[in-house]
Amino acid sequence: MLPSQANSHGTGAALQGPYDKYALTSNPECIVIDTSWVCNLECKMCHQAAPDFSIPESPHISIELVKRLIPLLRTTKSVYMLGAGEPLMHPQVYEIISLIKTECPDTGVAFSSNGVLLNKRNIGKLIDSRLDSISISVDGPNLERGHLKSEITYKNLRALAEEKQRRGIAKPEIRLGFVIGKDNEHELIPALRFGIEIGIKGMTVEPLRIVMPNPEWDDYIRANNIYDHMDTVGPILQQARALAAAHGIEIDTPYIVNA
C-alpha cells in the first residue's frame, strides 16, 4: 500500500492534509537501505567526526527488517545499501545481499565502501553474494582530510579485479568515488588511470563541500572549495571527462556546475 492510499490508521482512505500533494503515486525506482552506522575508519572530516554525531544503540539494520521489505524491493529497479557507516561492518551484509538477490532477481544491488575490508576472503563472499555493483572512495593517498589507508584500498581493488578476471565474471561492477577539492585536484587523473587499469565501469566526482557542520574542518573545506579554484580544477575536470570517454567509462559529476 502506498502512502497516498492509506492514512495513519491504515484504513485505505486517501491521505489528507498539507502533505497529500507529496504522497507517492508509484513505487520508487531506487531504494536506499540504511545498512550500518558503524565504520572501521576515523576520518577527521567525516560526518562521524561532527560534535553532535552519535551511533544508535542498534547500529545495524536487521535481516528480519530486510525480509519485511522484500515485497517493496521487488518493485524497484535498484537497492543501494548505504548508511552513516561502512556497509562491510554489518555482520550479516553478505546474507542480506544474497537474500535480496534471491528474492528480487530483477533488482540491482549496490553499495559504497572505503574498500579497506575487501580482503581476499571477503572478496570471495562478496562475489558469491551476487552483488551487482560496488563504489569505492579513492580521494587520493596521504590526504589530510581522507583516510590514511589508501594503499590498502588500492591493493584490495586490484585483488577484486583479478578475482573477477580469474572467475570470468563481470560483476560486481567496480566504480570509483572521488571528492575533489583544491587539496587533491592533482590526484583525480591518477585515480582515473588506476580505474582504467582495473576495468572500472564508472566514476563519480563530487565537489568538496560541507555536508554536516564541523567547526574543526569547515574553514579547511571553504578554503579548498573548487569554485574558488576553477582556473586549475576546471581543466583537470575536462581532462578527466575526455580520458573517461576515450576508455568507455561513465563519469558523473553531480553537484558540479559550469565546469
Side-chain angles (χ1 to χ4, degrees), residues 141-162:
N142 304 315
L143 187 63
E144 184 180 6
R145 61 177 162 91
H147 69 74
L148 301 179
K149 297 185 178 180
S150 295
E151 70 281 359
I152 298 177
T153 296
Y154 277 67
K155 177 183 176 181
N156 290 346
L157 277 170
R158 283 195 176 94
L160 173 58
E162 289 170 359

Side-chain angles (χ1 to χ4, degrees), residues 80-141:
Y80 207 83
M81 297 172 61
L82 199 55
E86 165 61 48
L88 291 177
M89 289 294 288
H90 194 297
Q92 294 180 291
V93 63
Y94 307 107
E95 290 88 344
I96 289 175
I97 297 169
S98 294
L99 170 66
I100 297 173
K101 292 303 299 180
T102 298
E103 298 294 333
C104 316
D106 296 326
T107 300
V109 181
F111 69 79
S112 295
S113 170
N114 57 49
V116 173
L117 297 176
L118 276 179
N119 54 39
K120 185 175 182 179
R121 179 169 177 265
N122 288 340
I123 284 172
K125 292 194 293 184
L126 192 69
I127 291 175
D128 292 341
S129 73
R130 293 166 289 160
L131 184 75
D132 292 287
S133 177
I134 185 170
S135 177
I136 306 292
S137 301
V138 290
D139 294 348

Side-chain angles (χ1 to χ4, degrees), residues 36-55 83-86 114 137 139 144-147 179 208-218 220-221:
S36 178
W37 286 68
V38 181
C39 190
N40 57 315
L41 299 178
E42 296 180 355
C43 300
K44 294 180 179 179
M45 64 158 287
C46 176
H47 55 265
Q48 291 210 7
D52 58 349
F53 180 85
S54 62
I55 296 178
E86 165 61 48
N114 57 49
S137 301
D139 294 348
E144 184 180 6
R145 61 177 162 91
H147 69 74
V179 179
L208 180 63
R209 63 197 188 280
I210 296 174
V211 176
M212 184 175 291
N214 186 341
E216 184 179 353
W217 284 96
D218 288 355
Y220 175 95
I221 294 173

